[in-house]
Every structure is written in structure tokens, then in C-alpha cells.
Amino acid sequence: MAETIFSKIIDKSLPADIVYETDEIIAFRDISPQAPTHIIIIPKKQISTVNDIELDDAALVGKLFVAAKVIAKSEGLADDGYRLVVNCQEGAGQTVFHLHVHLIGGRSLLWPPG
């Protein structure tokens, strides 16, 4: 797998504002936030896109969402609400090819926008 900015955060060769970490998951504040709270949650195992998830990855992918719940609560977002976003491939806005979940909150996130 190609090295990404996320793999450098995982191996601590690139600094990040880490808000959550386990043996399998790491989460950090986005450097270009789209809302007052914008946290990136990633598996430490490199999986390039949703298309690359295998059946053996099911528990790990589930842990991303458990981490999101824990982080949302610790950030004070659980009661008011938050959004989880996963982009798959460039056409959907994926710019780092390491599976990740955006946890976004702290402002109104009506859908559709506008």
C-alpha cells in the first residue's frame, strides 16, 4: 500500500491533534475543519476505500462507528446531533486513500444543504 498522510499520523512521524486512540483505531482533528468539530476516524490497518473492505474487516469497520459514538459524547455532540461521512473514490470527494470517517458537528447540519 502507498504511504499516506494518515499512515504518517498512525506511525507518529506527522503530528496530529489526536482525540482518541486504541490498538486498532486513531482519531484526530481535521486540519481543514468544515464545522466547529471535525474529527477524522481511521483504522490503523490501511484499507484504501470502502470498495476494499473485506468480510474479515467487518469488526474493525464497526469499531470506527463505536469510536465515533464515544468521541461524539466526549465532544458534547451526542445529544444535539452530528454527521458521519465516508467518501469512496475521487468522484465522491475522497482525497486520502485510507478509509476514514468524518465526524462533523457543532453547528446545524441540515440536509440537503442550502
Side-chain angles (χ1 to χ4, degrees):
M1 294 270 171
E3 187 174 61
T4 69
I5 190 170
F6 292 170
S7 60
K8 291 177 182 182
I9 290 170
I10 292 167
D11 72 16
K12 307 290 197 301
S13 64
L14 189 66
D17 185 359
I18 297 170
V19 297
Y20 179 91
E21 185 171 11
T22 68
D23 290 343
E24 298 176 292
I25 307 290
I26 191 167
F28 47 91
R29 296 194 188 281
D30 194 295
I31 60 171
S32 182
Q34 302 301 304
T37 301
H38 187 163
I39 295 170
I40 305 296
I41 307 165
I42 64 172
K44 289 183 177 179
K45 175 184 178 182
Q46 187 168 350
I47 302 169
S48 295
T49 74
V50 170
N51 292 339
D52 299 301
I53 296 170
E54 299 292 339
L55 187 56
D56 289 346
D57 299 319
L60 177 60
V61 172
K63 289 176 184 179
L64 294 173
F65 288 87
V66 172
K69 176 191 82 163
V70 170
I71 296 164
K73 183 173 182 176
S74 72
E75 294 284 320
L77 301 174
D79 292 337
D80 288 338
Y82 53 95
R83 179 171 293 154
L84 300 176
V85 177
V86 179
N87 300 316
C88 183
Q89 301 292 17
E90 283 184 52
Q94 185 176 5
T95 57
V96 179
F97 288 87
H98 185 126
L99 179 67
H100 56 286
V101 176
H102 296 261
L103 185 155
I104 303 167
R107 67 172 172 82
S108 177
L109 299 168
L110 299 178
W111 193 261

